Amino acid sequence: MTEGRFRDKVAVVTGGGKGIGRAVASLMACGGAKVVLSGRDAAALDAACAEIRANGGEALPVAGDVAKPSDADHLCARTLEAFGRADILVNNAGITRDNLVMRMSEEEWDQVIDTNLKGSFLCIRAFTRPMMKQRWGRIVNVSSVVGLAGNPGQANYVASKAGVIGLTKAVARELASRHITVNAVAPGFIETAMTSGLNEKVREALQAQIPLGRLGSPEDVAHAVAFLCSEEAGYVTGQVLSVDGGMRM
């Protein structure tokens, strides 16, 4: 990444303590952004921020649950209090509660929809006002390849990630006149905590479906997010960028 690509920008990353979120926050910080990391695991947030600071960056942890309106609002308020502005929002926070639909409990459905979809909405709502006042902003929502293609045993997760795509397109139309772009990335199978439990047989079967022959890394997704957050992507909005090794080709 070009050094200083995000100088003078403030970037907020939900689910920033681990996996894709941590990689995004680290890359933004390397590009000169001040980063705010949100998540429910305070220890993971502190560790991620310490790593960024050790590399010369500026990072602020804000523990909270984006599925709660008060926590989403607090995240925005804390960002503005600390840095005076908010330029970039990456809605990455997500959970899974996998089950076949005939066995899925209402609680499993609600938890996933609340975090993955409602949480993205709540954060967008909170951060839209300061971005509109600035007449500049970048919002990137993290969807999934399964939000485009479906996946058995994940009706709640698929619905949430498909909903994120619809949310992205609607908000992109609403905010375009204020020079705020809204896009989504749709990662394929990425080496994170969500995929760490896969046995070797399942992993080999997955890799056989991927033309590039490997699972992706969090950094693969982070580079795509960084592009969509950059000045270079100023004429890109309402789009879904698949980062899946060609899986859906």
Side-chain angles (χ1 to χ4, degrees):
M1 170 178 289
T2 305
E3 188 176 348
R5 192 182 194 185
F6 297 111
R7 183 172 293 137
D8 301 324
K9 302 298 185 189
V10 176
V12 179
V13 183
T14 71
K18 302 174 184 176
I20 291 171
R22 186 165 181 164
V24 169
S26 178
L27 196 60
M28 294 282 183
C30 286
K34 299 176 178 67
V35 294
V36 180
L37 278 64
S38 167
R40 294 187 295 185
D41 187 336
L45 292 179
D46 288 342
C49 287
E51 183 178 69
I52 288 170
R53 294 183 193 120
N55 290 321
E58 193 167 349
L60 172 70
V62 180
D65 182 354
V66 295
K68 297 178 180 178
S70 58
D71 284 12
D73 290 341
H74 173 72
L75 175 60
C76 182
R78 188 72 185 90
T79 300
L80 297 178
E81 177 188 357
F83 299 119
R85 58 187 298 118
D87 304 287
I88 295 165
L89 170 64
V90 180
N91 284 309
N92 168 72
I95 63 170
T96 57
R97 297 289 185 270
D98 295 350
N99 214 335
L100 294 174
V101 69
M102 65 182 291
R103 296 174 183 162
M104 186 174 290
S105 68
E106 209 172 328
E107 183 181 22
E108 288 170 332
W109 175 271
D110 288 346
Q111 286 177 343
V112 171
I113 297 295
D114 284 353
T115 296
N116 300 6
L117 181 54
K118 184 180 177 182
S120 295
F121 153 69
L122 291 173
C123 287
I124 290 171
R125 186 177 68 175
F127 282 92
T128 291
R129 194 175 299 278
M131 287 185 180
M132 289 179 72
K133 287 180 179 178
Q134 295 163 191
R135 297 188 65 83
W136 196 96
R138 296 283 188 268
I139 298 172
V140 177
N141 301 316
V142 178
S143 180
S144 169
V145 64
V146 303
L148 295 165
N151 201 38
Q154 289 193 306
N156 48 4
Y157 187 75
V158 171
S160 72
K161 293 302 188 179
V164 163
I165 291 172
L167 175 66
T168 297
K169 293 178 180 292
V171 178
R173 288 184 176 272
E174 289 187 20
L175 301 182
S177 65
R178 296 300 182 98
H179 308 290
I180 300 167
T181 66
V182 188
N183 293 287
V185 293
F189 289 96
I190 308 298
E191 296 277 12
T192 66
M194 281 191 184
T195 57
S196 63
L198 298 175
N199 64 48
E200 196 58 37
K201 188 175 180 180
V202 172
R203 183 178 292 269
E204 288 175 3
L206 283 175
Q207 289 180 180
Q209 300 175 48
I210 302 170
L212 287 181
R214 66 173 177 86
L215 272 64
S217 71
E219 289 72 25
D220 289 325
V221 182
H223 283 291
V225 172
F227 165 69
L228 292 172
C229 292
S230 70
E231 292 282 4
E232 293 91 332
Y235 201 56
V236 180
T237 197
Q239 302 305 304
V240 183
L241 177 56
S242 293
V243 187
D244 62 6
M247 186 173 173
R248 283 195 69 251
M249 204 169 16

